Amino acid sequence: MRRKIIAGNWKMHGSRAENTQLVETIISGFAGDDGAECVICPPFVYLHEISRQLRDSAVKLGAQNLSAEAQGAFTGEVSAAMLRDVGCRYVLVGHSERRALYGEDDGLVARKYAAAQAKGLVPILCVGETLAEREGGHTHPVIARQLDAVLAVSDVGTLARAVVAYEPVWAIGTGRTATPEQAQDVHAFVRERIAARDAKIAADLSLLYGGSVKASNASELFAMPDVDGGLIGGASLKAEEFLAICAAALDGRVV
Ligand code: PEP
């Protein structure tokens, strides 16, 4: 059975004081569920402290980025092993802000995915098209290129321990959400493309949608057959809103 996953990407927000309150509320609102995972991805500097706060809770920890290198003279970088060391289970790979603002190309994203896997982190591989690409009718080819780059470096079997997040760039932080039909179309495309290599891996893979998900639109998105949860940016910084999105992913069973 595919797991429902709700992952919160805090981006570069928060402070120790704000985080304590936010995490406390999320922990007490998310009881846990066999079929679901709730993940929060704070900035690097807060991971260790939050990892301690999450101990004995059902909420899992993720990072927003990692180095493609294992260790060495890479000033400012953070390795997969370090993330494991401070209690991370997940890591975002290839977020569109990393691709657009920090020059992460498909090749580097593929290396980061492999680096995460090598240390037992579950990569949340982000893919998505820009508005110009969508309007030019290139959505499927762009997604295919981003996926294929990863699968050129890592075996399709690694997707048994990975998550894919479809995040149309035009929907991230814009308030403009993909329609459930637009999300379903790309999710089905991703699953079919992976099924061409391995049908079982594709059937079991959790595919998240990200891009201006809110409590008010989460249910209709998560009702689509190939949408298995969400990657949530802005709304993950508001505990009640984030918990309501978790509840939507679980048909209200958890919160
Ligand atoms: C994101 O940062 O991955 C994201 C989807 O942001 P938002 O929910 O704010 O659009």
Side-chain angles (χ1 to χ4, degrees):
M1 193 186 85
R2 293 205 292 268
R3 305 201 79 196
K4 296 272 189 187
I5 299 174
I6 299 296
N9 173 14
W10 292 9
K11 311 196 190 199
M12 199 169 72
H13 293 292
S15 65
R16 293 180 66 204
E18 287 169 356
N19 299 345
T20 303
Q21 188 58 48
L22 178 57
V23 173
E24 203 47 58
T25 312
I26 293 171
I27 290 173
S28 53
F30 185 78
D33 185 289
D34 281 352
E37 195 99 308
C38 171
V39 184
I40 54 173
C41 303
F44 284 141
V45 290
Y46 300 128
L47 289 171
H48 190 217
E49 188 169 41
I50 292 177
S51 174
R52 288 163 179 254
Q53 212 182 336
L54 293 181
R55 203 176 290 160
D56 302 325
S57 86
V59 179
K60 301 287 190 301
L61 190 63
Q64 298 173 18
N65 184 26
L66 83 166
S67 173
E69 309 295 339
Q71 68 169 39
F74 301 103
T75 303
E77 292 288 278
V78 175
S79 73
M82 292 170 187
L83 296 179
R84 280 303 298 259
D85 198 25
V86 297
C88 287
R89 170 114 183 80
Y90 291 87
V91 62
L92 304 184
V93 174
H95 190 280
S96 67
E97 287 155 16
R98 301 294 318 170
R99 292 180 191 259
L101 303 175
Y102 300 98
E104 294 195 9
D105 60 15
D106 290 338
L108 180 57
V109 171
R111 290 178 57 229
K112 290 190 173 199
Y113 174 97
Q117 288 260 334
K119 294 296 174 193
L121 285 167
V122 177
I124 300 177
L125 172 65
C126 303
V127 296
E129 81 288 0
T130 63
L131 187 58
E133 288 164 341
R134 172 162 284 268
E135 289 178 346
H138 305 306
T139 299
H140 287 189
V142 167
I143 305 295
R145 191 202 74 221
Q146 293 172 338
L147 276 178
D148 291 354
V150 168
L151 295 175
V153 172
S154 297
D155 187 83
V156 66
T158 62
L159 287 170
R161 299 175 309 281
V163 175
V164 175
Y166 168 54
E167 295 209 305
V169 178
W170 47 271
I172 298 178
T174 60
R176 182 178 167 189
T177 317
T179 65
E181 292 73 24
Q182 285 172 322
Q184 170 59 24
D185 169 72
V186 176
H187 284 225
F189 173 77
V190 170
R191 207 178 296 285
E192 278 162 26
R193 193 156 187 98
I194 294 166
R197 296 178 188 240
D198 189 314
K200 167 108 177 69
I201 293 282
D204 292 345
L205 178 65
S206 291
L207 297 179
L208 314 187
Y209 167 79
S212 298
V213 177
K214 303 183 275 289
S216 58
N217 60 24
S219 294
E220 58 180 18
L221 285 160
F222 300 162
M224 303 313 280
D226 288 298
V227 179
D228 307 309
L231 179 52
I232 319 298
S236 71
L237 295 166
K238 299 174 211 144
E240 298 304 335
E241 181 89 6
F242 187 60
L243 288 168
I245 295 170
C246 291
L250 292 165
D251 307 321
R253 278 185 290 123
V254 168
V255 186

Short mmCIF file of all heavy atoms in Angstrom, two decimals, residues 28-88:
data_model
loop_
_atom_site.label_atom_id
_atom_site.label_comp_id
_atom_site.label_asym_id
_atom_site.label_seq_id
_atom_site.Cartn_x
_atom_site.Cartn_y
_atom_site.Cartn_z
N SER A 28 1.61 17.51 19.09
CA SER A 28 0.42 17.15 19.86
C SER A 28 -0.80 16.98 18.97
O SER A 28 -1.78 16.35 19.36
CB SER A 28 0.16 18.17 20.97
OG SER A 28 0.13 19.44 20.42
N GLY A 29 -0.74 17.49 17.72
CA GLY A 29 -1.89 17.36 16.83
C GLY A 29 -1.81 16.17 15.89
O GLY A 29 -2.80 15.79 15.27
N PHE A 30 -0.64 15.57 15.76
CA PHE A 30 -0.49 14.45 14.83
C PHE A 30 -0.21 13.17 15.61
O PHE A 30 0.87 12.96 16.14
CB PHE A 30 0.66 14.71 13.85
CG PHE A 30 0.78 13.63 12.79
CD1 PHE A 30 -0.08 13.59 11.71
CD2 PHE A 30 1.74 12.64 12.91
CE1 PHE A 30 0.03 12.60 10.75
CE2 PHE A 30 1.86 11.63 11.96
CZ PHE A 30 1.00 11.61 10.88
N ALA A 31 -1.22 12.33 15.68
CA ALA A 31 -1.11 11.14 16.53
C ALA A 31 -0.34 10.01 15.86
O ALA A 31 0.08 9.07 16.51
CB ALA A 31 -2.50 10.66 16.91
N GLY A 32 -0.19 10.09 14.55
CA GLY A 32 0.48 9.00 13.84
C GLY A 32 -0.54 8.04 13.27
O GLY A 32 -1.67 7.96 13.74
N ASP A 33 -0.12 7.36 12.22
CA ASP A 33 -1.05 6.48 11.53
C ASP A 33 -0.20 5.55 10.67
O ASP A 33 0.76 5.98 10.05
CB ASP A 33 -1.97 7.33 10.63
CG ASP A 33 -3.04 6.50 9.95
OD1 ASP A 33 -2.70 5.72 9.05
OD2 ASP A 33 -4.20 6.64 10.36
N ASP A 34 -0.57 4.27 10.62
CA ASP A 34 0.21 3.29 9.86
C ASP A 34 0.36 3.68 8.40
O ASP A 34 1.37 3.42 7.78
CB ASP A 34 -0.45 1.91 9.93
CG ASP A 34 -0.16 1.25 11.25
OD1 ASP A 34 0.67 1.80 12.00
OD2 ASP A 34 -0.78 0.21 11.53
N GLY A 35 -0.68 4.30 7.87
CA GLY A 35 -0.67 4.59 6.44
C GLY A 35 -0.14 5.96 6.11
O GLY A 35 -0.23 6.38 4.96
N ALA A 36 0.39 6.66 7.11
CA ALA A 36 0.75 8.05 6.84
C ALA A 36 2.01 8.50 7.55
O ALA A 36 2.37 7.97 8.60
CB ALA A 36 -0.39 8.95 7.27
N GLU A 37 2.64 9.48 6.97
CA GLU A 37 3.86 10.03 7.53
C GLU A 37 3.75 11.56 7.49
O GLU A 37 3.32 12.13 6.49
CB GLU A 37 5.02 9.59 6.63
CG GLU A 37 6.36 9.77 7.23
CD GLU A 37 6.92 8.48 7.83
OE1 GLU A 37 6.22 7.83 8.63
OE2 GLU A 37 8.06 8.16 7.50
N CYS A 38 4.12 12.17 8.60
CA CYS A 38 4.17 13.63 8.67
C CYS A 38 5.63 14.00 8.86
O CYS A 38 6.29 13.53 9.79
CB CYS A 38 3.32 14.13 9.84
SG CYS A 38 3.51 15.88 10.20
N VAL A 39 6.15 14.85 7.98
CA VAL A 39 7.58 15.19 7.98
C VAL A 39 7.72 16.70 8.04
O VAL A 39 6.98 17.41 7.34
CB VAL A 39 8.25 14.70 6.67
CG1 VAL A 39 9.75 14.96 6.70
CG2 VAL A 39 7.96 13.23 6.40
N ILE A 40 8.68 17.20 8.83
CA ILE A 40 8.98 18.63 8.78
C ILE A 40 10.43 18.82 8.39
O ILE A 40 11.30 18.06 8.80
CB ILE A 40 8.66 19.35 10.11
CG1 ILE A 40 9.35 18.69 11.30
CG2 ILE A 40 7.15 19.43 10.33
CD1 ILE A 40 9.19 19.47 12.61
N CYS A 41 10.67 19.83 7.55
CA CYS A 41 12.02 20.10 7.02
C CYS A 41 12.43 21.52 7.39
O CYS A 41 12.24 22.46 6.61
CB CYS A 41 12.03 19.93 5.51
SG CYS A 41 11.51 18.30 4.93
N PRO A 42 13.01 21.71 8.59
CA PRO A 42 13.47 23.03 9.01
C PRO A 42 14.85 23.34 8.41
O PRO A 42 15.49 22.47 7.84
CB PRO A 42 13.60 22.88 10.54
CG PRO A 42 13.11 21.51 10.88
CD PRO A 42 13.16 20.70 9.63
N PRO A 43 15.32 24.57 8.56
CA PRO A 43 16.68 24.90 8.12
C PRO A 43 17.72 24.06 8.88
O PRO A 43 17.49 23.65 10.03
CB PRO A 43 16.82 26.38 8.49
CG PRO A 43 15.41 26.90 8.53
CD PRO A 43 14.59 25.76 9.05
N PHE A 44 18.88 23.87 8.25
CA PHE A 44 19.94 23.02 8.82
C PHE A 44 20.21 23.30 10.30
O PHE A 44 20.33 22.39 11.11
CB PHE A 44 21.27 23.26 8.09
CG PHE A 44 21.36 22.62 6.74
CD1 PHE A 44 21.98 23.30 5.69
CD2 PHE A 44 20.86 21.35 6.48
CE1 PHE A 44 22.10 22.73 4.43
CE2 PHE A 44 20.97 20.76 5.22
CZ PHE A 44 21.60 21.47 4.20
N VAL A 45 20.38 24.59 10.63
CA VAL A 45 20.87 24.92 11.98
C VAL A 45 19.92 24.50 13.09
O VAL A 45 20.33 24.39 14.24
CB VAL A 45 21.18 26.43 12.14
CG1 VAL A 45 22.40 26.81 11.35
CG2 VAL A 45 19.98 27.28 11.76
N TYR A 46 18.67 24.27 12.75
CA TYR A 46 17.70 23.90 13.77
C TYR A 46 17.45 22.39 13.86
O TYR A 46 16.71 21.93 14.74
CB TYR A 46 16.36 24.61 13.51
CG TYR A 46 16.47 26.12 13.52
CD1 TYR A 46 15.98 26.87 12.47
CD2 TYR A 46 17.05 26.79 14.59
CE1 TYR A 46 16.07 28.26 12.47
CE2 TYR A 46 17.16 28.17 14.60
CZ TYR A 46 16.67 28.90 13.53
OH TYR A 46 16.77 30.27 13.55
N LEU A 47 18.06 21.64 12.95
CA LEU A 47 17.73 20.21 12.86
C LEU A 47 18.00 19.45 14.16
O LEU A 47 17.17 18.66 14.62
CB LEU A 47 18.51 19.55 11.71
CG LEU A 47 18.05 19.93 10.30
CD1 LEU A 47 19.02 19.39 9.26
CD2 LEU A 47 16.63 19.43 10.03
N HIS A 48 19.17 19.70 14.74
CA HIS A 48 19.53 18.90 15.91
C HIS A 48 18.58 19.13 17.07
O HIS A 48 18.09 18.19 17.71
CB HIS A 48 20.97 19.23 16.32
CG HIS A 48 21.51 18.30 17.34
ND1 HIS A 48 22.35 18.70 18.36
CD2 HIS A 48 21.33 16.97 17.52
CE1 HIS A 48 22.64 17.65 19.11
NE2 HIS A 48 22.04 16.60 18.63
N GLU A 49 18.29 20.39 17.32
CA GLU A 49 17.40 20.72 18.44
C GLU A 49 15.99 20.16 18.20
O GLU A 49 15.36 19.58 19.08
CB GLU A 49 17.34 22.24 18.62
CG GLU A 49 16.61 22.68 19.86
CD GLU A 49 16.81 24.17 20.14
OE1 GLU A 49 16.79 24.96 19.18
OE2 GLU A 49 16.99 24.52 21.32
N ILE A 50 15.53 20.28 16.97
CA ILE A 50 14.18 19.80 16.66
C ILE A 50 14.13 18.27 16.68
O ILE A 50 13.14 17.67 17.09
CB ILE A 50 13.69 20.39 15.32
CG1 ILE A 50 13.48 21.89 15.49
CG2 ILE A 50 12.41 19.71 14.84
CD1 ILE A 50 13.06 22.64 14.24
N SER A 51 15.22 17.65 16.29
CA SER A 51 15.30 16.19 16.35
C SER A 51 15.04 15.69 17.77
O SER A 51 14.31 14.72 17.99
CB SER A 51 16.69 15.76 15.88
OG SER A 51 16.86 14.40 16.03
N ARG A 52 15.60 16.39 18.75
CA ARG A 52 15.37 16.01 20.15
C ARG A 52 13.91 16.23 20.54
O ARG A 52 13.32 15.42 21.25
CB ARG A 52 16.26 16.85 21.08
CG ARG A 52 17.72 16.44 20.98
CD ARG A 52 18.61 17.52 21.56
NE ARG A 52 20.00 17.09 21.48
CZ ARG A 52 20.73 16.68 22.52
NH1 ARG A 52 20.20 16.66 23.72
NH2 ARG A 52 21.97 16.31 22.37
N GLN A 53 13.36 17.31 20.04
CA GLN A 53 11.96 17.61 20.37
C GLN A 53 11.01 16.56 19.77
O GLN A 53 9.97 16.27 20.33
CB GLN A 53 11.62 19.01 19.82
CG GLN A 53 10.61 19.77 20.66
CD GLN A 53 10.26 21.12 20.03
OE1 GLN A 53 11.04 21.68 19.26
NE2 GLN A 53 9.09 21.62 20.37
N LEU A 54 11.41 16.01 18.62
CA LEU A 54 10.54 15.05 17.93
C LEU A 54 10.64 13.64 18.49
O LEU A 54 9.83 12.77 18.14
CB LEU A 54 10.88 15.00 16.43
CG LEU A 54 10.59 16.25 15.60
CD1 LEU A 54 10.95 16.01 14.14
CD2 LEU A 54 9.12 16.65 15.72
N ARG A 55 11.65 13.41 19.33
CA ARG A 55 11.84 12.06 19.87
C ARG A 55 10.54 11.59 20.54
O ARG A 55 9.87 12.35 21.21
CB ARG A 55 12.98 12.09 20.91
CG ARG A 55 13.61 10.74 21.13
CD ARG A 55 14.79 10.86 22.08
NE ARG A 55 15.92 11.56 21.47
CZ ARG A 55 16.90 12.12 22.17
NH1 ARG A 55 16.88 12.12 23.48
NH2 ARG A 55 17.90 12.70 21.56
N ASP A 56 10.17 10.35 20.31
CA ASP A 56 8.94 9.77 20.87
C ASP A 56 7.67 10.35 20.24
O ASP A 56 6.57 10.16 20.76
CB ASP A 56 8.86 9.92 22.40
CG ASP A 56 10.05 9.27 23.08
OD1 ASP A 56 10.52 8.23 22.58
OD2 ASP A 56 10.53 9.83 24.08
N SER A 57 7.82 11.08 19.17
CA SER A 57 6.62 11.58 18.49
C SER A 57 6.47 10.84 17.17
O SER A 57 7.37 10.11 16.73
CB SER A 57 6.74 13.09 18.21
OG SER A 57 7.42 13.31 16.99
N ALA A 58 5.33 11.04 16.51
CA ALA A 58 5.09 10.38 15.22
C ALA A 58 5.60 11.23 14.06
O ALA A 58 5.51 10.82 12.90
CB ALA A 58 3.59 10.14 15.05
N VAL A 59 6.12 12.40 14.35
CA VAL A 59 6.56 13.32 13.30
C VAL A 59 8.02 13.05 12.96
O VAL A 59 8.86 12.88 13.85
CB VAL A 59 6.36 14.78 13.76
CG1 VAL A 59 6.84 15.76 12.70
CG2 VAL A 59 4.90 15.03 14.12
N LYS A 60 8.32 13.01 11.65
CA LYS A 60 9.68 12.71 11.20
C LYS A 60 10.40 13.99 10.75
O LYS A 60 9.76 14.98 10.42
CB LYS A 60 9.64 11.72 10.03
CG LYS A 60 8.95 10.40 10.35
CD LYS A 60 9.84 9.56 11.25
CE LYS A 60 9.34 8.14 11.42
NZ LYS A 60 8.00 8.01 11.99
N LEU A 61 11.72 13.87 10.73
CA LEU A 61 12.54 15.04 10.40
C LEU A 61 13.16 14.90 9.01
O LEU A 61 13.63 13.83 8.62
CB LEU A 61 13.66 15.17 11.45
CG LEU A 61 14.48 16.44 11.42
CD1 LEU A 61 13.62 17.67 11.72
CD2 LEU A 61 15.63 16.36 12.43
N GLY A 62 13.17 16.01 8.28
CA GLY A 62 13.83 16.04 6.98
C GLY A 62 14.65 17.31 6.84
O GLY A 62 14.44 18.29 7.56
N ALA A 63 15.60 17.30 5.89
CA ALA A 63 16.38 18.50 5.59
C ALA A 63 15.95 19.02 4.22
O ALA A 63 15.28 18.33 3.46
CB ALA A 63 17.87 18.16 5.59
N GLN A 64 16.35 20.25 3.95
CA GLN A 64 15.91 20.89 2.69
C GLN A 64 16.89 20.71 1.55
O GLN A 64 16.60 21.07 0.41
CB GLN A 64 15.70 22.39 2.95
CG GLN A 64 14.63 22.69 3.96
CD GLN A 64 14.57 24.17 4.31
OE1 GLN A 64 15.08 25.03 3.59
NE2 GLN A 64 13.94 24.48 5.43
N ASN A 65 18.08 20.19 1.88
CA ASN A 65 19.14 20.13 0.88
C ASN A 65 20.25 19.27 1.45
O ASN A 65 20.27 18.99 2.66
CB ASN A 65 19.65 21.55 0.61
CG ASN A 65 20.69 21.62 -0.49
OD1 ASN A 65 20.74 20.77 -1.39
ND2 ASN A 65 21.54 22.62 -0.43
N LEU A 66 21.17 18.83 0.62
CA LEU A 66 22.38 18.14 1.10
C LEU A 66 23.45 18.30 0.03
O LEU A 66 23.17 18.70 -1.10
CB LEU A 66 22.12 16.65 1.37
CG LEU A 66 22.17 15.69 0.17
CD1 LEU A 66 22.24 14.25 0.67
CD2 LEU A 66 20.99 15.85 -0.74
N SER A 67 24.68 17.97 0.44
CA SER A 67 25.78 17.98 -0.52
C SER A 67 25.77 16.69 -1.32
O SER A 67 25.38 15.63 -0.82
CB SER A 67 27.11 18.11 0.23
OG SER A 67 28.19 17.96 -0.68
N ALA A 68 26.26 16.77 -2.55
CA ALA A 68 26.44 15.55 -3.35
C ALA A 68 27.71 14.82 -2.92
O ALA A 68 27.90 13.65 -3.27
CB ALA A 68 26.53 15.91 -4.83
N GLU A 69 28.57 15.51 -2.16
CA GLU A 69 29.85 14.92 -1.73
C GLU A 69 29.68 14.26 -0.37
O GLU A 69 28.86 14.66 0.43
CB GLU A 69 30.92 16.00 -1.63
CG GLU A 69 31.04 16.89 -2.86
CD GLU A 69 31.52 16.12 -4.10
OE1 GLU A 69 32.13 15.05 -3.93
OE2 GLU A 69 31.25 16.60 -5.21
N ALA A 70 30.54 13.27 -0.11
CA ALA A 70 30.43 12.54 1.15
C ALA A 70 31.10 13.29 2.31
O ALA A 70 30.58 13.33 3.42
CB ALA A 70 31.05 11.16 1.01
N GLN A 71 32.27 13.88 2.05
CA GLN A 71 32.95 14.69 3.06
C GLN A 71 34.14 15.39 2.43
O GLN A 71 34.50 15.09 1.29
CB GLN A 71 33.44 13.86 4.24
CG GLN A 71 34.56 12.88 3.93
CD GLN A 71 35.16 12.29 5.20
OE1 GLN A 71 34.45 11.98 6.14
NE2 GLN A 71 36.46 12.14 5.22
N GLY A 72 34.75 16.34 3.16
CA GLY A 72 35.97 16.95 2.65
C GLY A 72 35.91 18.46 2.57
O GLY A 72 35.15 19.10 3.29
N ALA A 73 36.75 19.01 1.71
CA ALA A 73 36.93 20.47 1.62
C ALA A 73 35.81 21.08 0.76
O ALA A 73 36.03 21.43 -0.41
CB ALA A 73 38.30 20.77 1.03
N PHE A 74 34.64 21.17 1.34
CA PHE A 74 33.47 21.72 0.64
C PHE A 74 32.79 22.71 1.58
O PHE A 74 31.73 22.44 2.16
CB PHE A 74 32.50 20.59 0.24
CG PHE A 74 33.15 19.56 -0.66
CD1 PHE A 74 33.55 18.34 -0.14
CD2 PHE A 74 33.41 19.85 -1.99
CE1 PHE A 74 34.17 17.40 -0.95
CE2 PHE A 74 34.04 18.91 -2.81
CZ PHE A 74 34.42 17.69 -2.29
N THR A 75 33.44 23.85 1.76
CA THR A 75 33.01 24.84 2.74
C THR A 75 31.53 25.19 2.60
O THR A 75 31.06 25.50 1.51
CB THR A 75 33.86 26.12 2.59
OG1 THR A 75 35.23 25.75 2.75
CG2 THR A 75 33.49 27.17 3.62
N GLY A 76 30.85 25.13 3.72
CA GLY A 76 29.43 25.52 3.74
C GLY A 76 28.47 24.40 3.41
O GLY A 76 27.26 24.59 3.48
N GLU A 77 28.99 23.25 3.05
CA GLU A 77 28.12 22.15 2.64
C GLU A 77 27.79 21.22 3.82
O GLU A 77 28.52 21.19 4.82
CB GLU A 77 28.78 21.33 1.53
CG GLU A 77 28.91 22.09 0.22
CD GLU A 77 27.57 22.27 -0.47
OE1 GLU A 77 27.12 21.34 -1.15
OE2 GLU A 77 26.97 23.35 -0.31
N VAL A 78 26.75 20.44 3.67
CA VAL A 78 26.31 19.50 4.71
C VAL A 78 26.07 18.15 4.05
O VAL A 78 25.35 18.06 3.05
CB VAL A 78 25.02 20.01 5.40
CG1 VAL A 78 24.50 18.99 6.40
CG2 VAL A 78 25.28 21.35 6.09
N SER A 79 26.69 17.10 4.60
CA SER A 79 26.62 15.79 3.95
C SER A 79 25.41 14.97 4.40
O SER A 79 24.80 15.24 5.44
CB SER A 79 27.89 14.99 4.25
OG SER A 79 27.87 14.56 5.59
N ALA A 80 25.15 13.92 3.65
CA ALA A 80 24.07 13.01 4.00
C ALA A 80 24.33 12.36 5.36
O ALA A 80 23.42 12.20 6.18
CB ALA A 80 23.93 11.94 2.92
N ALA A 81 25.58 11.97 5.60
CA ALA A 81 25.90 11.32 6.88
C ALA A 81 25.63 12.27 8.05
O ALA A 81 25.16 11.84 9.11
CB ALA A 81 27.36 10.88 6.87
N MET A 82 25.94 13.54 7.86
CA MET A 82 25.68 14.52 8.94
C MET A 82 24.18 14.63 9.21
O MET A 82 23.75 14.74 10.36
CB MET A 82 26.25 15.89 8.54
CG MET A 82 27.75 15.93 8.48
SD MET A 82 28.30 17.47 7.72
CE MET A 82 30.05 17.14 7.61
N LEU A 83 23.41 14.61 8.14
CA LEU A 83 21.95 14.70 8.32
C LEU A 83 21.43 13.49 9.07
O LEU A 83 20.57 13.60 9.96
CB LEU A 83 21.26 14.87 6.96
CG LEU A 83 21.60 16.15 6.20
CD1 LEU A 83 20.89 16.18 4.85
CD2 LEU A 83 21.23 17.39 7.02
N ARG A 84 21.96 12.32 8.73
CA ARG A 84 21.57 11.11 9.47
C ARG A 84 21.97 11.23 10.94
O ARG A 84 21.24 10.86 11.85
CB ARG A 84 22.24 9.86 8.87
CG ARG A 84 21.59 9.31 7.63
CD ARG A 84 20.13 8.95 7.85
NE ARG A 84 19.94 7.91 8.85
CZ ARG A 84 19.71 6.64 8.59
NH1 ARG A 84 19.62 6.24 7.35
NH2 ARG A 84 19.53 5.76 9.55
N ASP A 85 23.17 11.77 11.14
CA ASP A 85 23.72 11.89 12.48
C ASP A 85 22.84 12.74 13.40
O ASP A 85 22.78 12.51 14.60
CB ASP A 85 25.12 12.52 12.35
CG ASP A 85 25.97 12.30 13.58
OD1 ASP A 85 25.72 11.32 14.31
OD2 ASP A 85 26.87 13.12 13.82
N VAL A 86 22.16 13.74 12.83
CA VAL A 86 21.30 14.58 13.67
C VAL A 86 19.83 14.14 13.62
O VAL A 86 18.95 14.86 14.09
CB VAL A 86 21.43 16.09 13.34
CG1 VAL A 86 22.83 16.58 13.62
CG2 VAL A 86 21.02 16.39 11.90
N GLY A 87 19.58 12.98 13.03
CA GLY A 87 18.23 12.42 13.16
C GLY A 87 17.31 12.60 11.96
O GLY A 87 16.10 12.35 12.07
N CYS A 88 17.87 13.03 10.82
CA CYS A 88 17.00 13.17 9.64
C CYS A 88 16.70 11.82 9.04
O CYS A 88 17.55 10.93 8.99
CB CYS A 88 17.67 14.03 8.57
SG CYS A 88 17.72 15.77 8.98
#
